[in-house]
RNA sequence: AAAGAAACGUGG
């Protein structure tokens, strides 16, 4: 099992979902344990085979395997991608007493956010005991996704100024996207400016993409073009 | 015990 879960993981990350599935199927009914099932679940999730992932999650429950928090977090990612609020809620119900755990809690925040349940996402977020950059970014992204740009920006500032958590590239993608949808042009330009100068995060092509989107939506086409011209990498 | 786990812009 030690070997099988590693092999499933290795094939999956190397991009061969078929090989991972072949190995898993071979051991599924004999020696596969929870870790193997979770590795296969993660493999489906990483390859965006969310329907198959959900089916596998339900199958493992029928088989009588008891999912742990890692399994739940993985399954919640799948629910988030599918907008599968019912199954997500069932998972929350089953793991309710542990939703202050940073990994499980963050997965719940993301699931509720992607299912459009911001109030529930925020309630879980507030209860997470040791919030890290993943948790903060998930919540900022949740506001951004649901069109609450001002709240996303506000939370981002709280993260940096009060919680003193260092934002990373993903955080900036989320906050810039929030600015773009809320029409917060000057605020977005300022974030883009300080991300490298203050926070030491070099803008990637995605960040330039966010800025072009932000300026373009605001009708500031000349500035958008200049942004593209200033890219150190090849625009896609 | 160990192997499996959470956040990722725009357009489509």
């Amino acid at each position: 099992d030690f070997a099988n879960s590693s092999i499933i993981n290795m094939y999956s990350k190397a991009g061969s979902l078929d090989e991972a599935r072949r190995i898993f199927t071979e051991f599924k009914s004999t020696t596969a344990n929870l870790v193997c099932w979770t590795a296969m679940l993660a493999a489906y999730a990483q390859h965006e085979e969310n329907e198959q992932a959900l089916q596998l999650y339900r199958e493992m429950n029928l088989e009588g395997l008891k999912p742990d928090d890692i399994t739940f977090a993985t399954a919640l990612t799948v629910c988030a991608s599918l907008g599968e609020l019912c199954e997500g809620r069932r998972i929350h119900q089953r793991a309710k007493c542990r939703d202050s755990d940073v990994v499980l809690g963050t997965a719940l925040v993301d699931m509720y956010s992607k299912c459009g349940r911001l109030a529930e996402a925020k309630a879980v977020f507030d209860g997470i005991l040791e919030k890290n950059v993943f948790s903060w970014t998930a919540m900022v992204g949740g506001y951004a996704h649901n069109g609450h740009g001002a709240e996303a920006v506000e939370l981002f500032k709280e993260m940096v100024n009060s919680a003193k958590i260092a934002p990373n590239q993903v955080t900036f993608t989320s906050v810039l996207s929030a600015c773009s949808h809320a029409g917060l042009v000057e605020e977005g330009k300022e974030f883009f400016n300080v991300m490298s100068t203050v926070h030491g995060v070099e803008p990637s092509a995605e960040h330039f993409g966010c800025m072009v989107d932000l300026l373009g939506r605001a009708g500031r086409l000349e500035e958008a073009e200049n942004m593209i011209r200033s890219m150190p990498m090849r625009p896609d």
Side-chain angles (χ1 to χ4, degrees):
Chain A
D1 282 339
F2 175 93
N4 294 340
S5 57
S6 301
I7 290 165
I8 290 166
N9 204 25
M10 188 186 79
Y11 277 126
S12 170
K13 295 219 163 110
S16 181
L17 181 62
D18 287 343
E19 275 303 297
R21 183 175 14 218
R22 200 180 59 71
I23 299 290
F24 175 73
T25 308
E26 192 175 328
F27 295 97
K28 182 178 169 185
S29 54
T30 54
T31 59
N33 65 4
L34 181 63
V35 177
C36 294
W37 283 76
T38 306
M40 192 64 230
L41 185 64
Y44 280 132
Q46 278 147 20
H47 291 262
E48 286 176 302
E49 297 283 357
N50 291 304
E51 292 290 358
Q52 293 206 66
L54 187 60
Q55 203 178 322
L56 190 76
Y57 172 73
R58 289 181 170 148
E59 191 183 336
M60 69 191 284
N61 283 296
L62 291 174
E63 293 284 328
L65 278 126
K66 288 272 166 278
D68 63 10
D69 288 352
I70 295 182
T71 313
F72 283 140
T74 310
L76 283 166
T77 301
V78 173
C79 295
S81 303
L82 292 171
E84 182 55 59
L85 181 61
C86 294
E87 191 70 67
R89 276 196 209 285
R90 271 196 288 275
I91 292 171
H92 191 182
Q93 207 61 38
R94 294 177 71 181
K96 189 127 208 157
C97 58
R98 294 187 307 282
D99 67 2
S100 58
D101 169 78
V102 63
V103 172
L104 186 65
T106 301
L108 283 164
V109 167
D110 182 51
M111 184 278 293
Y112 281 126
S113 295
K114 297 229 169 86
C115 292
R117 301 301 160 118
L118 275 183
E120 282 154 282
K122 185 60 162 56
V124 174
F125 175 79
D126 286 339
I128 297 175
L129 293 175
E130 300 198 342
K131 300 181 189 66
N132 61 17
V133 64
F134 280 64
S135 329
W136 284 94
T137 302
M139 196 63 238
V140 170
Y143 283 128
H145 262 284
N146 288 279
H148 296 231
E151 281 105 319
V153 168
E154 193 182 342
L155 195 74
F156 175 85
K157 288 177 175 170
E158 191 186 328
M159 166 186 183
V160 174
N161 300 325
S162 310
K164 312 278 186 204
I165 299 289
N168 64 18
Q169 299 217 358
V170 179
T171 321
F172 278 104
T173 304
S174 297
V175 78
L176 289 176
S177 148
C179 291
S180 169
H181 288 283
L184 302 169
V185 181
E186 294 310 318
E187 198 114 47
K189 285 171 73 175
E190 179 62 14
F191 284 136
F192 185 75
N193 205 26
V194 297
M195 69 180 280
S196 57
T197 58
V198 177
H199 301 283
V201 178
E202 287 310 316
S204 68
E206 283 72 24
H207 300 108
F208 280 98
C210 289
M211 289 308 290
V212 172
D213 183 56
L214 173 90
L215 295 164
R217 278 179 205 262
R220 295 161 72 152
L221 302 184
E222 204 161 307
E223 286 173 79
E225 277 192 41
N226 290 337
M227 187 58 71
I228 296 171
R229 272 190 270 276
S230 73
M231 289 174 69
M233 70 288 283
R234 197 156 58 90
D236 61 6

